[in-house]
Amino acid sequence: MTAGTWSPTSWRARPAAQQPRWPDEAAMGRVLGELAALPPLVFAGEARRLRAALGEVAGGRAFLLQAGDCAESFLEFSADGIRDKLRVVLQMAVVLTYGAGVPVVKVGRIAGQFAKPRSSDTETVADRELESFRGHMVNDDAPDPEARTPDPARLLAAYHQSASTLNLVRAFTTGGFADLSQVHQWNQEFVASSEEGKRYEQIAAEIDRALRFMAACGIDLNAETALHQVEYFTSHEALILPYEEALTRTDSLTGSAYDCSAHMVWVGERTRQIDGAHVEFVSGIHNPVAVKIGPSATVDEVIALCRRLDPERSPGRLTLVTRLGAKRVPELLPPLLRAVRDEGQPVVWVCDPMHGNTFVSNGGHKTRRFDDILEEIRGFFDAHRQVGTWPGGVHVELTGDDVTECLGGFGDIVEDQLHERYTTMCDPRLNARQSIDLAFRVAELLRA
Ligand code: PEP
Ligand code: CO
C-alpha cells in the first residue's frame, strides 16, 4: 500500500485474478449492500489476539495448526460434520502440543472457506464446455451451465452458513467438548484401535502420565479453564474481494480496518501478484494475513511481499505458507528462509504439504500420498534446522469424515479404494484417522 491511499475499495483499481464474471451487476450491488449492513462475523479484538498468538509462533515459542476443508460445502453442512472436524483438530493439537512442548495455535479453514481459485476458467464435461466450479460462494458444482452461472445470492448464503458454523464452533470449544482429558481419551482409543496405532503407544502413555502428574500435584483437571476450553480461530482464502470488502469494518477501539469475515485470511498461490488486487486488499486490513508460496516463487517476490504486507516488521502480522512439493523443498526452501531472515522480516513459516503433492490417479481421482505429505513436512523441518529458523506450523486439508481421498497412511488406502468414499468438491483431504496419524508423525519429528 502506498501510505494513505489504501481503502477497503482500493483493490478495485488493480487487476484482480480469479474473479468470476457476475452476470447481474444490479443484483450483485444489492447483495453487497446487504452484506455491508450485516453484523461482523468476528471482532477486531479477536483478530488482534490471534495476531499476538502468531507473534509467539514467529518468535519460536508456539506452533500453528491450520486445518480444515479444501472447500466447505453448502450441501454437506451439519452439526455432526462440524463436530467431527473440530474433534480431529483438537486431537491433533494435543499430540502436537506434547511433541512441540509449546502452545499450539489452532486455526480452522472453516466458517468462510467457500471460494476456490481454478487453473482454468472453463472445463469440458461430456463434450460440453462449462464455467469452472469456483466454490459454493460463487456457483454450484453440478455439471450443467445453469448451476455453474455465478449467483450473488450465494455470497449471502456463505455469510449465514459461516455465522452458524462459527456459533457452533464457539459453543463446542468453550462448552466442554474440548476437555483435555476427553480429547486425550479419543487419542488413546485411536492408538488402541489397531496394530498401526500401537506405534504411538509411547507418546500417548507419556501424555497420560503428564495428566496424572498434574492431577497428583493437586490441579483439578475439571476446574482448570485452560484444560477444558480452547481458543479456535477461523481463516479462509480471501479470494472473492467484493465479499471481503463488504465485511471490512473500522474497529471502534483502534480506528483501524479489519476484515471481519474471519480472524485470519490468506492470499493464494494464484493471486499473490505484488501489484494485484488481492495483495492490495490485504495490505491495509489489520488482521493477521498469510500468503501461499508455490515452487515458482522467487526470492525477490517473497521479499517484496514481506515488505509490502509487513512494512513495520510486526511479528504475527505475516505468515508465509510454503507448498513446494516433497521433492523440491530441500532445494527451494532454504534460500527463501535465509533471504527473509537476512531481511529482518519476522514471518511465521508454515508448511502446506498438500498442494504441491497432488496428482491424478489411474482411476481419474485427484489424490495425494500420505508419504509425500509427510516427506514435505520432513523437508520443511530439515530446511529450518539447516538455516536456524523456526518451523512454525502445518497447514492441512482434512475432514472428520471417513473419506477415501488420500492414499496410504492409517488404514493404508490404495488406488482401487479411492472411489469408495470420495466426496470432496475440490482437493483430496486426509480423513480423521490419517490426520491423527499425521499429527503423531509430526510430533515424532518435533521431538527428534
Ligand atoms: C487451497 O489452499 O485450497 C489452495 C487453492 O491453495 P494454493 O493457493 O496454495 O494453490
Ligand atoms: Co485445496
Side-chain angles (χ1 to χ4, degrees):
M1 139 174 94
T2 319
T5 62
W6 184 90
S7 80
T9 61
S10 58
W11 63 269
R12 290 178 179 270
R14 313 253 181 162
Q18 297 283 341
Q19 300 304 290
R21 271 169 286 124
W22 301 96
D24 184 345
E25 258 176 59
M28 182 70 168
R30 282 193 298 276
V31 162
L32 294 177
E34 220 173 298
L35 279 172
L38 284 165
L41 290 170
V42 304
F43 285 114
E46 295 176 304
R48 275 194 290 278
R49 259 213 318 282
L50 174 57
R51 197 164 152 166
L54 291 170
E56 291 298 292
V57 180
R61 298 177 296 274
F63 193 77
L64 172 66
L65 172 62
Q66 190 172 17
D69 269 305
C70 180
E72 288 175 90
S73 167
F74 282 2
L75 305 173
E76 277 174 35
F77 173 45
S78 71
D80 288 0
I82 295 166
R83 179 200 62 202
D84 293 345
K85 208 179 311 175
L86 183 63
R87 175 175 143 154
V88 174
V89 169
L90 294 175
Q91 286 185 257
M92 293 176 79
V94 167
V95 174
L96 291 172
T97 304
Y98 191 76
V102 294
V104 171
V105 181
K106 294 165 273 293
V107 179
R109 289 175 62 114
I110 197 167
Q113 177 54 21
F114 291 106
K116 300 310 300 172
R118 302 315 301 253
S119 41
S120 167
D121 284 344
T122 59
E123 66 171 330
T124 304
V125 180
D127 288 339
R128 272 201 303 191
E129 194 177 43
L130 299 169
E131 273 192 60
S132 291
F133 171 57
R134 290 186 179 276
H136 277 167
M137 184 186 266
V138 176
N139 56 7
D140 190 69
D141 49 313
D144 84 77
E146 189 127 1
R148 292 290 173 89
T149 305
D151 177 0
R154 288 177 169 272
L155 298 180
L156 282 169
Y159 168 90
H160 289 294
Q161 184 166 321
S162 299
S164 42
T165 301
L166 194 49
N167 181 53
L168 197 57
V169 164
R170 289 188 195 279
F172 279 139
T173 50
T174 57
F177 184 72
D179 190 281
L180 177 60
S181 310
Q182 173 67 66
V183 176
H184 173 57
Q185 196 187 320
W186 292 327
N187 279 340
Q188 285 181 310
E189 284 163 18
F190 169 84
V191 169
S193 70
S194 78
E195 274 308 306
E196 293 161 278
K198 299 232 156 55
R199 174 190 163 120
Y200 307 121
E201 233 165 19
Q202 195 193 334
I203 293 183
E206 285 174 29
I207 297 174
D208 206 48
R209 215 168 303 131
L211 287 173
R212 283 173 209 273
F213 177 71
M214 284 195 287
C217 291
I219 297 169
D220 181 348
L221 299 183
N222 294 317
E224 197 62 47
T225 308
L227 299 180
H228 61 108
Q229 294 195 357
V230 300
E231 203 158 23
Y232 184 70
F233 298 97
T234 61
S235 71
H236 62 258
E237 177 170 354
L239 184 71
I240 306 300
L241 293 173
Y243 176 85
E244 305 300 335
E245 175 194 315
L247 285 166
T248 297
R249 308 292 157 82
T250 303
D251 172 37
S252 58
L253 287 177
T254 59
S256 301
Y258 282 83
D259 181 350
C260 295
S261 70
H263 299 110
M264 178 187 203
V265 292
W266 76 84
V267 173
E269 160 71 1
R270 294 170 185 78
T271 49
R272 60 173 170 75
Q273 302 79 16
I274 192 80
D275 293 318
H278 293 81
V279 168
E280 169 67 13
F281 176 74
V282 301
S283 75
I285 56 172
H286 284 68
N287 307 59
V289 300
V291 182
K292 292 286 204 89
I293 303 294
S296 69
T298 65
V299 163
D300 288 351
E301 282 171 358
V302 171
I303 294 297
L305 285 165
C306 291
R307 288 184 182 155
R308 182 88 191 291
L309 297 178
D310 184 19
E312 283 158 14
R313 299 183 180 173
S314 152
R317 157 67 177 167
L318 180 62
T319 294
L320 295 178
V321 183
T322 58
R323 26 88 89 225
L324 303 169
K327 291 280 158 320
R328 304 199 62 193
V329 183
E331 156 212 352
L332 296 176
L333 188 53
L336 297 178
L337 300 180
R338 280 193 200 97
V340 171
R341 178 199 59 197
D342 294 349
E343 190 69 19
Q345 293 284 160
V347 307
V348 171
W349 288 105
V350 173
C351 176
D352 165 358
M354 314 296 292
H355 290 88
N357 296 307
T358 315
F359 68 98
V360 178
S361 74
N362 292 328
H365 291 93
K366 226 200 231 189
T367 190
R368 293 157 173 161
R369 285 195 186 88
F370 184 88
D371 287 348
D372 292 342
I373 292 168
L374 192 60
E375 187 62 27
E376 177 151 1
I377 296 176
R378 193 176 288 126
F380 173 81
F381 280 107
D382 285 348
H384 280 280
R385 204 163 290 135
Q386 195 183 318
V387 178
T389 41
W390 173 243
V394 290
H395 177 125
V396 292
E397 289 183 340
L398 57 76
T399 169
D401 302 336
D402 187 22
V403 299
T404 53
E405 297 171 4
C406 290
L407 298 167
F410 201 97
D412 198 17
I413 294 169
V414 296
E415 285 210 27
D416 288 346
Q417 287 172 287
L418 288 178
H419 72 275
E420 288 174 8
R421 290 180 301 282
Y422 193 94
T423 61
T424 183
M425 290 184 306
C426 198
D427 289 337
R429 303 158 297 177
L430 295 171
N431 65 28
R433 293 187 305 163
Q434 288 171 321
S435 302
I436 298 161
D437 188 357
L438 187 71
F440 275 108
R441 306 280 187 131
V442 174
E444 288 175 348
L445 291 174
L446 280 162
R447 281 151 53 100

